[in-house]
């Protein structure tokens, strides 16, 4: 890899039009730097221990890795420099980004996939997210889960993952509470319009699949996109279609990603 970086490339352009001049001269610019990550992808390991995950990520044959692994006790183990490309995301898409390994930091949480995440683990994750967000100016909406970028292929982190708590701290986006509890938003309030107002509902409603696409989901398989959305934002009945309740949340949420 070091050789590839140091190589002076030869310009190789096939030119059909012989009036176009293509020089094969290399002129090194003085103005550059290394790239910075702009997305954080959160995973659960689906393994039984931190040690097991660390072993998996150090065996060449597995071809998988992550920048950070966080144990159930909150211990953070870094396994790769933030500026390098870890192999945690695989095939996936978020918005128009189809190479998440190149743009993101991978964080794996030691968790078997069917249990709640421990408090020390989430506390450590919040500290790490804060550090990454500040250091690389990562937008709140770019803190996402593996299932968000790989609908139909990945389901981590599971419905036990506390996305709302993270969003409250500035990592990931969440819907407004009054969507579900209009009573908290009295009709005489001058600061917001009650959501049961039919006019407002009409204005907000768009094709749900388009709304999912605006958020960032790959909608090539709409059913899978709905499942990923539900794992993250609804956290139950993830196999079923969007209910009216789910749509309320979706229509509130997509605007935050515009
Ligand atoms: Zn994953």
């Amino acid at each position: 890899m070091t050789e590839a970086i140091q190589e002076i490339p030869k310009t190789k352009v096939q030119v059909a039009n012989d009036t176009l001049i293509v020089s094969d001269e290399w002129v090194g610019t003085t103005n550059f730097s290394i790239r910075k990550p702009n997305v954080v992808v959160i995973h659960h390991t689906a393994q039984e221990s931190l040690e097991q995950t660390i072993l998996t990520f150090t065996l060449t044959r597995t071809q998988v890795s992550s920048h950070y692994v966080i144990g159930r006790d909150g211990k953070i183990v870094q396994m790769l420099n933030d500026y390098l490309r870890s192999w945690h995301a695989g095939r996936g898409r978020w918005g128009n980004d189809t190479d998440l390994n190149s743009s993101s930091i991978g964080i794996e949480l030691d968790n078997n996939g069917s249990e709640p995440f421990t408090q020390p683990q989430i506390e450590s994750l919040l500290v790490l997210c804060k550090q990454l967000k500040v250091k690389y100016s990562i937008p709140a909406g770019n803190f996402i889960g593996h299932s968000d970028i790989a609908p139909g292929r990945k389901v981590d982190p599971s419905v036990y993952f506390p996305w709302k708590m993270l969003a409250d701290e500035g990592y990931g986006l969440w819907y407004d509470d009054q969507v579900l509890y209009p009573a908290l938003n009295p009709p005489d309030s001058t600061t917001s319009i009650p959501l049961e107002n039919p006019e407002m509902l009409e204005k907000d409603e768009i094709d749900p699949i388009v709304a999912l696409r605006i958020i960032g989901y790959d909608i090539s398989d709409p059913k899978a996109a709905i499942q990923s959305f539900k794992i993250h934002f609804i956290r139950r009945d993830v196999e079923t279609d969007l209910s009216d309740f789910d749509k309320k949340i979706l229509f509130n949420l997509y605007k935050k990603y515009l």
Side-chain angles (χ1 to χ4, degrees), residues 41-45 88-89 107-108 145-147 154-157:
V41 178
I42 296 166
H43 306 253
H44 68 228
T45 59
H88 63 95
I107 303 176
E108 290 273 0
H146 200 186
S147 62
K154 293 291 173 182
V155 292
D156 64 300

Side-chain angles (χ1 to χ4, degrees), residues 231-249:
I231 290 172
H232 188 135
F233 294 104
I234 309 296
R235 308 177 72 216
R236 59 181 168 80
D237 306 329
V238 299
E239 304 287 343
T240 61
D241 201 4
L242 291 168
S243 66
D244 287 347
F245 173 89
D246 302 341
K247 284 180 192 165
K248 267 192 182 178
I249 290 171

Side-chain angles (χ1 to χ4, degrees), residues 34-82:
I34 46 177
R35 298 162 314 112
K36 291 188 296 180
N38 196 240
V39 179
V40 169
V41 178
I42 296 166
H43 306 253
H44 68 228
T45 59
Q47 297 206 345
E48 293 304 325
S49 70
L50 183 68
E51 292 69 32
Q52 192 189 354
T53 302
I54 288 173
L55 177 65
T56 303
F57 290 171
T58 48
L59 296 173
T60 312
R61 63 176 155 81
T62 66
Q63 297 286 287
V64 289
S65 61
S66 181
H67 293 88
Y68 299 91
V69 187
I70 306 180
R72 287 168 164 84
D73 61 357
K75 181 173 152 187
I76 303 176
V77 179
Q78 183 164 10
M79 299 193 72
L80 188 68
N81 186 301
D82 292 345

